Amino acid sequence: MTETTASAETTPDSRVRGRFAPSPTGDLHVGSLTTAVGSYLDAKSRQGTWLVRIENCDRDREVLGAADRILHTLEIFGLQWDGAVWYQHERTEAYAWALDTLRRHHRVYPCSCTRRELAKHPTLESHYPGYCRTGPRRPEGPHAIRFDASHADALTYTDRLRGVQHCAPQQSIGDFLLRRRDGFYAYQLAVVVDDAAQGISDVVRGADLLDNTPRQRLLQEALGYASPTYMHLPLVLDHTGAKLAKSRRALPANPADAPRLLTHILAALGHEPPQMLHTAPVGLQLTWALQNWNIYNIQYDKDILLPDL
């Protein structure tokens, strides 16, 4: 993919619908909270709607109580969502309908390859070459469902921060999973169906999900959905330079930490509040940030290195 500089966007639009969609595999860490703050400010600064969706299709990976703690953390930081929270585990009928639609249009196929088989060749996990495209190699066993990208045209789209992006699906992403062998629906299908159902116009998320955008745009086209605009924030690293992960570092949910943490997060997003607001309640900091939000203050080409919070 290639990048160019995009132009500024400042026009208020009440039709803007953003969202934050965490997975409840652990408590909210600073990296995910940074994404939440960025997506909230981006939607609300344009008088838009900001929704929260819990992405828990895979109930086996869900940590008990994590969803409630994530929502509580958002509240602590003043990030109040609009409407009811959606939970993906309640949406399986919608995913089944979408998968059946793709099946009727001959855009998917069953695949009997196992993760262990593909793990022997690491490149195959991210770029499946279509071994089962003409039929599963083991038709009698369990199988996954893959999207057939063999005839997909080259994609070009604009990331609001990173400019024009190009992708050749057959060479870059291959045939990707929509439903796993164990019956769970894959992230790519669920997020596309839910974004369409919720009328999401603007997706703001971390740079680690940038490579998912071509897959999702292919699905949106195949299902007849409009594509939202995308903006990928820089990756958040801890003070050692390692990517933040729930398995390594969970965000303290102590309300006393909220003003200090929010100041660091806003600064990392190019919007450090004035000194007099550094210890102010989160509501005052967010009010200032909403009034001053400009996405081109964000240094998208540099990872965010947070101090040892």
Side-chain angles (χ1 to χ4, degrees):
M1 293 188 179
T2 60
E3 302 173 358
T4 62
T5 301
S7 58
E9 297 176 356
T10 58
T11 304
D13 189 346
S14 60
R15 296 169 298 178
V16 169
R17 292 176 66 84
R19 51 80 164 169
F20 177 58
S23 299
T25 54
D27 291 357
L28 205 63
H29 58 64
V30 181
S32 294
L33 181 61
T34 300
T35 299
V37 170
S39 63
Y40 174 88
L41 292 174
D42 187 66
K44 290 299 185 177
S45 66
R46 293 183 283 161
Q47 291 79 55
T49 300
W50 190 67
L51 307 176
V52 170
R53 182 171 70 230
I54 301 296
E55 296 194 335
N56 62 343
C57 268
D58 188 346
R59 305 305 300 277
D60 289 345
R61 297 181 63 238
E62 183 172 356
V63 173
L64 183 64
D68 289 340
R69 292 193 297 273
I70 287 171
L71 297 177
H72 180 58
T73 300
L74 295 178
E75 291 176 330
I76 287 173
F77 283 84
L79 304 178
Q80 184 57 57
W81 55 91
D82 297 299
V85 176
W86 280 29
Y87 294 83
Q88 283 190 334
H89 77 273
E90 300 173 347
R91 303 262 309 144
T92 54
E93 290 185 4
Y95 309 145
W97 177 89
L99 192 61
D100 188 57
T101 299
L102 294 170
R103 187 181 291 110
R104 293 198 309 270
H105 288 86
H106 308 290
R107 302 301 300 270
V108 299
Y109 63 86
C111 172
S112 61
C113 295
T114 66
R115 181 175 296 181
R116 179 176 297 180
E117 290 172 336
L118 298 179
K120 296 177 181 178
H121 306 280
T123 58
L124 298 184
E125 290 193 282
S126 59
H127 183 274
Y128 182 77
Y131 289 147
C132 295
R133 197 177 288 151
T134 58
R137 293 189 293 176
R138 292 186 297 278
E140 70 285 349
H143 60 267
I145 301 294
R146 290 185 180 272
F147 183 84
D148 186 351
S150 61
H151 302 294
D153 296 328
L155 292 173
T156 299
Y157 68 95
T158 300
D159 183 288
R160 289 171 54 211
L161 269 182
R162 299 162 187 270
V164 178
Q165 307 288 305
H166 302 285
C167 175
Q170 297 178 55
Q171 289 74 40
S172 300
I173 58 179
D175 299 345
F176 52 93
L177 283 174
L178 299 183
R179 194 185 71 193
R180 299 181 347 202
R181 284 161 47 93
D182 57 13
F184 285 117
Y185 291 97
Y187 162 77
Q188 306 295 354
L189 180 65
V191 72
V192 164
V193 172
D194 288 344
D195 280 348
Q198 292 188 295
I200 300 301
S201 65
D202 292 76
V203 173
V204 177
R205 58 191 182 186
D208 53 332
L209 297 177
L210 180 63
D211 288 342
N212 282 326
T213 307
R215 297 176 175 88
Q216 292 163 20
R217 288 184 67 90
L218 286 177
L219 282 174
Q220 289 155 2
E221 179 182 357
L223 289 166
Y225 297 156
S227 293
T229 63
Y230 290 90
M231 181 167 72
H232 291 84
L233 301 174
L235 196 64
V236 179
L237 310 178
D238 66 17
H239 68 288
T240 70
K243 176 185 173 183
L244 292 177
K246 291 173 183 173
S247 60
R248 288 173 48 87
R249 182 191 182 105
L251 175 72
N254 185 348
D257 287 337
R260 180 174 63 96
L261 289 174
L262 184 57
T263 297
H264 282 300
I265 288 170
L266 290 174
L269 292 173
H271 293 78
E272 182 175 359
Q275 186 68 35
M276 63 182 180
L277 290 180
H278 280 199
T279 58
V282 294
L284 292 178
Q285 292 194 43
L286 287 177
T287 297
W288 177 90
L290 286 168
Q291 294 170 347
N292 292 274
W293 182 249
N294 183 341
I295 65 173
Y296 302 109
N297 289 348
I298 303 170
Q299 296 187 37
Y300 69 86
D301 56 344
K302 295 182 179 178
D303 292 334
I304 296 173
L305 185 64
L306 290 175
D308 189 12
L309 300 173

